[in-house]
Every structure is written in structure tokens, then in C-alpha cells.
């Protein structure tokens, strides 16, 4: 049976992978790549993957091409799309000569094979990894290698490998724990308990590692119990926190450790404390039988009988509760109830059910939710529900988009005549020609140093008027001498002013020409864009309408497929729940039989003792 | 050891101890019907493709490339400033007012870039003002602004608001950068 410890390792495996492919290693050169990382680092992998695929298609991650591919492969791997992931890493191996890229690609290929259960093949890929992995990825690499070796039964190789690892990551404790329990299962107690003992003594403030430490001590304690070493069992079981998730089993074990040392009275202390806890916990149920057993051993048959009767009442009550829960499980009410408090955030595919909802049924499922197979199934169920709801959101949005595009089509049709009128009056070629005339004139002015050519409107008028006087018939008359002098002075003053400002005016004229060029360019761009918009917009709108029309049935078809698979997944989970409840019923029934049998034995013993006492009494009577 | 002790030890070792022994990863998955699991994965892949198309359609419809403007927030080191919020004004109109969670700030620290705003702007001159609020050096409340006057042309415009450390002054620095 799998358990939470494996789940924790699995989380580390799946999450650590892609992170290292995109971890900060310098400045971001594509904003959209950074934006993908922003979602990824928040464990919103679905959004990260969607945005990365979109950015890649739009050519927005070209400056991070290799990193983006590695990240994409890692995300695909986490999302269970092993084929796509492997294809990406194969391509990277073929196209890149960078040893760091090769190392990462081989690592991820190994991980993909590992996830498929191809452990020997995974090892072969891991062997190709060199020295260029980042520290975080190196941790994951070592963990996967050790897990892969264990999966092949190569425990000695796994243990040797772990000894060479230098890491302060919590994963090492998880792997060591897995190795320890695997060795114990193979009856290699000395090696197994050595590994477990190292985990059982670890120091940490981390809640998960503390829970793992408890779990290691629990496994270690029961391994010693199995070997009938009560003293050492008690010692390690007492390391377990009394408020932790493994406290009940620890209390039970401590009692049995005392029994192994024939100290039945001492065994009653932890067991009586345990019997007041949740009656559905298997350790508590076992304590209900263990207590009267201990009373019996110390000769307190009355108390023993009383506790056996109490245990049977408790078992009967729980059996009735289990019967009702089995009915609810088979009618499909438990699975949706398990997810009643879920936030349904899409994309967190390392999700697992951490807290059971407050309900009668949930009390029976503590063991089951610790099973990773059930958690995997529940995660898939939850993913499907979330995907269905996500698609429902899209379906609603598509209806809005459809309206929007229709409205834009109408608006475009209404605006088109106005646009035509506005842009119809503009002739870019004519504007260009006028600009060229102006530039030519300016060149001539500069070539001839024609200072009058740069006169403003008033000055030009003044110059014309002064010049016009010279063509008057009376201009050469003697009487006009004073006027001629005056005109000459005025003309000279004007020319002098124009000449003095000539360089400035020329610079200004050139600047105006440059501005004109920019304006003309902008007009041309705008005009071209408007012309294109006029021509292309109807096509674009039609394309958008067609895209929307094509997507709508795809969403509906996808939702139908999801519904069908969801139904099968729910049935599968219901069966697992019902099996678990039936197993609990069988265990309780077995306990009940044991209680009845023990009670009958006590009654027999009491009756025999009473009969013996009576016989002795009769014998003594004269 | 009496038979009943053996029974209980065996029972509790089975129920309590071996229940916590892990199965090797990959092997336990056999319990899940393979075809159903494969079907779930196929479906997830198909939904992913569909989702990408829908996402791109949405962006193209709502924020066409010609008018699109996107403002991003990034952080380089960021030891002198703990980010709380960013207010963004475009042409004197508030367009974003974002309060950060711890998880988001962590994502920024690790090199993630947040898309703070995505909208549309006409071609021409515009002004962007960003106000950063948070805790600065010596644990004091800190509020700083950064401004950018920019020319929006035809085509998407990307602006990055970058929070970095000015080690020489032991102060945070807020820069605005235009991307092509």
C-alpha cells in the first residue's frame, strides 16, 4: 500500500523539475518568458503552460528559445503529457551542442521514463547526465536515481548512492525513509532500521519533515516490536509527538512494547489514554481490545469483561455507521462531498486532498486519503471537474466574443463611408510632390544665397513693394530723387536684416522640411494602415467569426468527453471507497469476534473458578 | 509470547506499520485502470490545446496587436524594498491598482515577470505613471513613483517597471523601460 511519504516525494519530483529549467540565471530577455515563470513559480502550471504555448506560437520567447523549450518539456512532463515532453527533449539533444542543455534534457528524459515505470531505461538516461545540472536539479536527479534503483530492487546500490549525496534538501530524508522501510520489508532489519533511525533523529522546524520523522520512528518502533524487542521499540516510539498524526499508533505500540516486557499494568497507561480518542481510528479500535487483554493478564477479569462488552458496543455502533456509509458511497454522494471545500483552481496538478471535510463519512476515509492511488484518482477527478468548469467559462466568453465581433462588423459597415470620405480627400503623391518642390526651392536659395527667398510673408511684401517702385515711369524723374534715396535706404535695411538672419532662417527652413518629412511619413503610414484596415477589416472580422463558430462545437464536444470520463472516474473512486469501507467492516467484525471469544473465555474461566470454589467449599463443609 | 499477544502484534504491525510502508512509485499506479488514466491524460492534452487557442483568440479580439499596450513588473534582487502594491496611471487615468501576495512577491524575486496591465491605446504620445508602495530600508514605509512619456505607434507596446537595488546608495531603484 502506498502512503503519504511517497506522495511527498512525488510532489518534489514533479515540481522541482521544470523550475530548474527556468530558474533565475540572468536578466530576462523576453518579457513573456518572464511572465510564464511568474505563473510557474506560483505553481499555477496550467496557466504557465497555456501562456508559454501561446507566447511560443506568437514568437515572443525567441530570446529564451532553449530555456523555453526546457520549461515546456518539464511542464508537459508534470502535466502527464510524456510523449510531447520526450519529443521536445529529443529535439533539444539533436539541435543543441551545449553540455548544460544536454544534461538537462537527459535528466528530463530519465524522469519521463521513470514516470512511466521504465526504471532501467531511466537509469540509462540518468547515466548520460554530466556535471552541468543546477543545484536544485541535481537534488532531484539524485532523488530520482535512488528511487529508480529501489524500484528495481537494487537497494544496496540505492543506499550506496545516498551515502555519496551532499544535500540539505528534505528529499534526502524521504528517500532514506523509503529505503529504510523497503529494507525492513525484505527482512534486512539491521540495514533498514539504520536508515530509519537516521530519519527518526533528524532535527527540523519544518512541519512535513517533523511528520516524516514521526513516521520513521513509528516504522522503526513497529519493526522492533516485530522483532520482539520491546525495550528499543518503546524508546523510539516515545520520540513521536503526542499531537502529531501518528500519535495514536505510537501509543498503541508503546503499550505493546510494555507487554513484550511483561509489564501489563504499564501497558494500560497509553492504551487507556488512546481509548478516549477517535473510535474510528484503527489504533483506537485495537486499544479497545488490548485494554481488557491487559486487565485479564493482571487478573482483573471483572474490568476485562466490562471493557470487552464496551468494545463490542463500540464496534457495533461503528459497523452500523459503516453500513450507512457504504450505501452513500455506492450512490455517489461521498466523492463530490470530499471536494466540497475545494477552491477548484485549475492548474495546480500537484494538488492533493490535505484536509477531509467535516462529515460522518470523512471519518472513515483517513486511511484511504493517505493512499496515493486514491489521491491520484481524486486528483484526476478534480482536474476533470476543474477543466469542465473552465470550458464552461470559455463557452460563456465565446458567446460574448460572438456578440462583440457582430457589433464590430455592424460598426465597421456604418463607419466605412465616413472613413472613405475622410481619407478619400488625401492624395499622398500630391503631398509628396509639393514637399519636393519646397525642397528644391530651398536648395536653390541656398545655392544662390538668396536671402530674400527666406523672407517671411510681411518682409516679402515689403521687398516686392520696394522693388515695384523701381518699375514706375516716374521713378527716374529728378523730382523722385529723394524718394529713390529713401527706397534705397529702406531696401538696404531690409536686405541687411534678411542677410543677417539668413543662416538662422535657412536652418529653420531645413528643420521645417525635416518635420514635414516626418509628418508625411506618419500620414503615409496612417493612410496605408487605414487603407489596409478598410480592405482587411471585413476579412479579419469574418475570420474571427469563423474561429468562434469553429471553437464553440469543439468546447461542447470536449465537455461531453469530460463528462463521460468523469463518470467513469467517479465510479472508480466510489468502488475504492466502498472497498475501503468493507475492509474496515471486516476488521471491526474480526475484532468483535475476538472480543466475544475473549469474553466467553473470561466467563468460562470465572465459571470454572466459581465452580472450583464451590466444590472446595462443599468439600470443606463437614 | 502468548498466542493472543502474537495475534495483536501481528495485527497491529499489519494495520499500523506496514500500512505506512511505501510502495515503489510507478508500481502502485497499476491499481488505476490504465485505459482510464490514459484517457484522462489524452483529454487533458486536448483541453490544453483548446485552451491555448481560446486564450490567443481572446487576446487578439480584446487587445489587437496594433493598439495593444502591456505593462510588466519585474524585480532584480529587491533586497532594499518589500513590495506591497503598485498603482498605475495612463494619461492620468488609473488603470491598475495591484496588491501583491507573498507568493507573488516570491515569484518576482525568483525571476518571474508579472503582466500588471494589458489594454489598448491609440497611436500617439502618452504618459505612464507608476507608484510603488512597500517597506523600504530600515523597515520604513516607502512610496516612490516612476514616469515614462512614450510614443505609441502602430504595433504592440511593452513597458517594464523594474525594481532593483542601488547598492551604492543602499536604496531601491525604480526604472521604466520600453521594449520593442
Amino acid at each position: 500500500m502506498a502512503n503519504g511519504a511517497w506522495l511527498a516525494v512525488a510532489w518534489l519530483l514533479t515540481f522541482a523539475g521544470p523550475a530548474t529549467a527556468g530558474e533565475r540565471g540572468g536578466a530576462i530577455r523576453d518579457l513573456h518568458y518572464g511572465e510564464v515563470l511568474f505563473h510557474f513559480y506560483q505553481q499555477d502550471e496550467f496557466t504557465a503552460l497555456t501562456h508559454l504555448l501561446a507566447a511560443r506560437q506568437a514568437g515572443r520567447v525567441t530570446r529564451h528559445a532553449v530555456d523555453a523549450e526546457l520549461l515546456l518539456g518539464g511542464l508537459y512532463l508534470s502535466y502527464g503529457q510524456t510523449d510531447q515532453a520526450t519529443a521536445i527533449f529529443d529535439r533539444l539533444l539533436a539541435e543543441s551542442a551545449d553540455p548544460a542543455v544536454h544534461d538537462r534534457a537527459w535528466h528530463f528524459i530519465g524522469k519521463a521514463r521513470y514516470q512511466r515505470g521504465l526504471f532501467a531505461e531511466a537509469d540509462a538516461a540518468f547515466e548520460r547526465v554530466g556535471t552541468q545540472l543546477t543545484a536544485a536539479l541535481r537534488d532531484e536527479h539524485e532523488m530520482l536515481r535512488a528511487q529508480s534503483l529501489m524500484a528495481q530492487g537494487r537497494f544496496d546500490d540505492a543506499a550506496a548512492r545516498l551515502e555519496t549525496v551532499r544535500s540539505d534538501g528534505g528529499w534526502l530524508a524521504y528517500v532514506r525513509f523509503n529505503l529504510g522501510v523497503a529494507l525492513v520489508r525484505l527482512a534486512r532489519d539491521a540495514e533498514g532500521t539504520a536508515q530509519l533511525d537516521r530519519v527518526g533523529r533528524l532535527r527540523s522546524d519544518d512541519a512535513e519533515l517533523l511528520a516524516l520523522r514521526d513516521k520513521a520512528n513509528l516504522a522503526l518502533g513497529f519493526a522492533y516490536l516485530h522483532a520482539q524487542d520491546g525495550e528499543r521499540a518503546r524508546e523510539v516510539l516515545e520520540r513521536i509527538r503526542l499531537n502529531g498524526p501518528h500519535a495514536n499508533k505510537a501509543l498503541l505500540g508503546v503499550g505493546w512494547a510494555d507487554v513484550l516486557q511483561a509489564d501489563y499494568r504499564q501497558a494500560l497507561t497509553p492504551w487507556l489514554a488512546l481509548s478516549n480518542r477517535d473510535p474510528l481510528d484503527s489504533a483506537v479500535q485495537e486499544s479497545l481490545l488490548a485494554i481488557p487483554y491487559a486487565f485479564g493478564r493482571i487478573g482483573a477479569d471483572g474490568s476485562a469483561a466490562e471493557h470487552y462488552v464496551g468494545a463490542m458496543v463500540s464496534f457495533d455502533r461503528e459497523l452500523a455507521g459503516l453500513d450507512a456509509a457504504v450505501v452513500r458511497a455506492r450512490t455517489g454522494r461521498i466523492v463530490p462531498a470530499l471536494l466540497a471545500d475545494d477552491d477548484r483552481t485549475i492548474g495546480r496538478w500537484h494538488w492533493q486532498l490535505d484536509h477531509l471535510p467535516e462529515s460522518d463519512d470523512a471519518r472513515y476515509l483517513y486511511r484511504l486519503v493517505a493512499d496515493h492511488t486514491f489521491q491520484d484518482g481524486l486528483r484526476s477527478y478534480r482536474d476533470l471537474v476543474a477543466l469542465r468548469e473552465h470550458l464552461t467559462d470559455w463557452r460563456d466568453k465565446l458567446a460574448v466574443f460572438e456578440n462583440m465581433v457582430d457589433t464590430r462588423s455592424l460598426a465597421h459597415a456604418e463607419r466605412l463611408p465616413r472613413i472613405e470620405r475622410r481619407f478619400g480627400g488625401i492624395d499622398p503623391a500630391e503631398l509628396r510632390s509639393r514637399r519636393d518642390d519646397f525642397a528644391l526651392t530651398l536648395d536653390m536659395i541656398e545655392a544662390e544665397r538668396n536671402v530674400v527667398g527666406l523672407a517671411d510673408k510681411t518682409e516679402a511684401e515689403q521687398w516686392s513693394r520696394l522693388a515695384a517702385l523701381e518699375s514706375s515711369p516716374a521713378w527716374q524723374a529728378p523730382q523722385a530723387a529723394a524718394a529713390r534715396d529713401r527706397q534705397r535706404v529702406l531696401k538696404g535695411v531690409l536686405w541687411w536684416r534678411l542677410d543677417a538672419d539668413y543662416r538662422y532662417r535657412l536652418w529653420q527652413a531645413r528643420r521645417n522640411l525635416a518635420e514635414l518629412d516626418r509628418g508625411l511619413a506618419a500620414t503615409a503610414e496612417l493612410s496605408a494602415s487605414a487603407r489596409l484596415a478598410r480592405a482587411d477589416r471585413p476579412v479579419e472580422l469574418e475570420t474571427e467569426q469563423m474561429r468562434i463558430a469553429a471553437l464553440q462545437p469543439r468546447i461542447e464536444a470536449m465537455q461531453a468527453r469530460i463528462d463521460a470520463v468523469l463518470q467513469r472516474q467517479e465510479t472508480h473512486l466510489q468502488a475504492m471507497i466502498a472497498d475501503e469501507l468493507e475492509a474496515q467492516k471486516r476488521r471491526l467484525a474480526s475484532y468483535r469476534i475476538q472480543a466475544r471469544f475473549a469474553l466467553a473465555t473470561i466467563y468460562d474461566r470465572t465459571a470454572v473458578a466459581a465452580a472450583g470454589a464451590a466444590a472446595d467449599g462443599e468439600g470443606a463443609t463437614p | 509470547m502468548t498466542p493472543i499477544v502474537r495475534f495483536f502484534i501481528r495485527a497491529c504491525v499489519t494495520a499500523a506499520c506496514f500500512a505506512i510502508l511505501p510502495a515503489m512509485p510507478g508500481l502502485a499506479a497499476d491499481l488505476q485502470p490504465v485505459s482510464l488514466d490514459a484517457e484522462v491524460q489524452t483529454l487533458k492534452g486536448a483541453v490544453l490545446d483548446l485552451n491555448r487557442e481560446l486564450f490567443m483568440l481572446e487576446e487578439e479580439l480584446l487587445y489587437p496587436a496594433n493598439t495593444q499596450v502591456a505593462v510588466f513588473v519585474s524585480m532584480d534582487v529587491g533586497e532594499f524594498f518589500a513590495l506591497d502594491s503598485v498603482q498605475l496611471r495612463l494619461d492620468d487615468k488609473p488603470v491598475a491598482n495591484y496588491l501583491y501576495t507573498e507568493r507573488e512577491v516570491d515569484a518576482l524575486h525568483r525571476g518571474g515577470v508579472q503582466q500588471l496591465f494589458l489594454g489598448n491605446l491609440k497611436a500617439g504620445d502618452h504618459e505612464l505613471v507608476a507608484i510603488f508602495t512597500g517597506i523600504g530600508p530600515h523597515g520604513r514605509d516607502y512610496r516612490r513613483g516612476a514616469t515614462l512619456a512614450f510614443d505609441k505607434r502602430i504595433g504592440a507596446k511593452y513597458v517594464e517597471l523594474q525594481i532593483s537595488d542601488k547598492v551604492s546608495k543602499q536604496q531601491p531603484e525604480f526604472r521604466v523601460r520600453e521594449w520593442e
Side-chain angles (χ1 to χ4, degrees), chain A residues 69-70 72-73 76 83-93:
Chain A
E69 289 299 289
L70 283 165
L72 183 64
Y76 267 137
D83 290 342
Q84 285 95 327
T86 306
I88 286 173
F89 296 128
D90 283 344
R91 195 170 60 241
L92 281 169
L93 281 174

Side-chain angles (χ1 to χ4, degrees), chain A residues 20-34:
Chain A
T20 48
E23 193 76 59
R24 179 188 282 286
I28 289 291
R29 298 186 299 277
D30 281 314
L31 286 172
H32 289 89
Y33 177 71

Side-chain angles (χ1 to χ4, degrees), chain A residues 74-147:
Chain A
L75 284 167
Y76 267 137
L77 208 51
S78 296
Y79 194 52
Q81 309 296 302
T82 322
D83 290 342
Q84 285 95 327
T86 306
I88 286 173
F89 296 128
D90 283 344
R91 195 170 60 241
L92 281 169
L93 281 174
E95 291 174 0
S96 173
D98 183 349
V101 171
H102 274 239
D103 281 2
R104 284 197 229 172
W106 277 119
H107 167 73
F108 283 123
I109 287 173
K111 183 174 168 179
R113 292 174 181 173
Y114 175 87
Q115 286 182 356
R116 285 173 160 177
L118 304 170
F119 303 116
E121 292 82 353
D123 269 350
F126 290 144
E127 285 290 340
R128 308 283 298 263
V129 174
T131 57
Q132 303 282 318
L133 288 182
T134 57
L137 212 52
R138 174 64 59 186
D139 272 3
E140 183 189 62
H141 177 71
E142 292 297 344
M143 176 168 65
L144 280 171
R145 293 205 73 170
Q147 294 280 111

Side-chain angles (χ1 to χ4, degrees), chain A residues 1 3 6 60 293 390 547, chain B residues 5 20-21 25 51 59-60:
Chain A
M1 182 64 68
N3 73 355
W6 183 83
R60 290 168 173 172
Y293 164 76
H390 186 67
R547 280 171 76 185
Chain B
V5 171
I20 70 163
L21 297 187
N51 196 57
E59 186 178 307
E60 286 166 31

Side-chain angles (χ1 to χ4, degrees), chain A residues 29-61:
Chain A
R29 298 186 299 277
D30 281 314
L31 286 172
H32 289 89
Y33 177 71
E35 199 266 343
V36 169
L37 290 181
F38 184 69
H39 293 289
F40 172 70
Y41 290 144
Q42 294 177 73
Q43 298 172 34
D44 185 1
E45 292 93 344
F46 188 79
T47 306
L49 189 45
T50 303
H51 286 201
L52 181 53
L53 286 169
R56 193 164 160 259
Q57 190 170 328
R60 290 168 173 172
V61 288

